[in-house]
Amino acid sequence: MSQKLLENVHEILPDPTPSGKSYVTRGKYKYYHYNCDGFQDVGWGCGYRTLQSMCSWIRHCTDSSQEVPTIKDIQETLVNLNDKPASFIGSREWIGALEVFYTVDALYGVSCKIVHIPSNGDVKKYVSLIKQYLEEYAGFIMMGGDVDASSKGIAGVHISGNDAYLLVVDPHFVASSSRDISAEELCSKMFVKWQNCSDFLDSSFYNLCLPLIKAPDDP
């Protein structure tokens, strides 16, 4: 049983500091999370769910007739691209930023930029790049890692003096399909949150996947 998908779940969040400025995703995306379509993917499907949220944003920007792919669709796409063996279909193997790039390019004809943040690096050093991307494209970003293997969406950045925060849209939320969820619940349970860049793991590398298509001017 599918759950009604919420849109733009970040919009109710206040800025993390009273000063500074936020740069956020424009347009509309749907919040995909574990089991949201009745498919059981707890523990391994976070990359797929973040990709689905990104695809929903791309559809809004392009009015594409291509539906948001299911997890099986994504796996079949990667196999058809010869990126994965046939045994990948029906597996519980994770996907990362590169697979997100390949899928978006294949299904929507949208190129992406991959940004690698090395382990023992500093996520804050990449804030200006994220800010520039959001100013120019205002897109929905996918973030993956190795030690921090929890894929997540990034829907904004807030800069205040020497502090910087990323707006995290976390797909690891699980709820029974028999009840409604709300953006307020997601925010209160920290599945949608501003995360200080200093709180990302130094021991993990991170990859960002930035779709290179501009958001519409309208909200």
Side-chain angles (χ1 to χ4, degrees):
M1 181 178 178
S2 297
Q3 212 160 36
K4 182 179 179 181
L5 298 174
L6 300 175
E7 284 189 343
N8 291 25
V9 289
H10 69 278
E11 289 184 338
I12 68 167
L13 271 183
D15 286 345
T17 69
S19 60
K21 186 173 181 180
S22 295
Y23 307 83
V24 298
T25 297
R26 289 200 314 271
K28 294 181 181 179
Y29 66 89
K30 292 183 178 180
Y31 173 64
Y32 284 79
H33 57 87
Y34 279 160
N35 300 358
C36 62
D37 52 6
F39 186 85
Q40 302 299 311
D41 60 314
V42 173
W44 59 274
C46 55
Y48 297 89
R49 298 307 186 182
T50 304
L51 168 56
Q52 288 175 320
S53 292
M54 180 188 288
C55 289
S56 71
W57 177 81
I58 291 172
R59 287 194 76 218
H60 171 74
C61 294
T62 62
D63 292 323
S64 173
S65 61
Q66 170 65 52
E67 295 291 336
V68 172
T70 65
I71 288 179
K72 184 181 179 183
D73 291 337
I74 295 165
Q75 292 180 335
E76 289 178 343
T77 298
L78 293 169
V79 169
N80 290 337
L81 291 172
N82 294 318
D83 178 65
K84 303 292 183 187
S87 59
F88 181 66
I89 298 173
S91 73
R92 295 186 174 188
E93 291 187 38
W94 297 358
I95 62 170
L98 284 175
E99 288 89 352
V100 168
F101 177 5
Y102 298 152
T103 304
V104 165
D105 183 48
L107 296 183
Y108 297 94
V110 173
S111 294
C112 299
K113 180 177 182 178
I114 299 293
V115 177
H116 178 67
I117 303 175
S119 57
N120 299 317
D122 184 352
V123 170
K124 190 161 68 172
K125 291 180 181 178
Y126 294 82
V127 161
S128 60
L129 184 152
I130 298 170
K131 169 182 172 289
Q132 181 180 0
Y133 169 78
L134 289 168
E135 287 181 309
E136 184 174 355
Y137 292 97
F140 186 89
I141 299 169
M142 180 269 187
M143 185 178 201
D146 61 342
V147 177
D148 180 358
S150 299
S151 172
K152 53 190 73 72
I154 302 297
V157 63
H158 180 86
I159 301 170
S160 178
N162 292 324
D163 280 333
Y165 302 78
L166 296 185
L167 179 46
V168 173
V169 179
D170 185 341
H172 293 80
F173 180 77
V174 182
S176 166
S177 58
S178 63
R179 72 173 180 86
D180 292 334
I181 63 173
S182 67
E184 288 80 6
E185 178 182 3
L186 296 172
C187 293
S188 67
K189 293 182 176 178
M190 305 297 284
F191 287 97
V192 180
K193 64 182 178 181
W194 287 104
Q195 182 170 335
N196 195 300
C197 287
S198 63
D199 293 335
F200 288 88
L201 297 179
D202 290 340
S203 58
S204 180
F205 74 67
Y206 290 97
N207 285 327
L208 304 177
C209 182
L210 289 62
L212 298 179
I213 182 170
K214 293 186 178 181
D217 291 331
D218 57 299

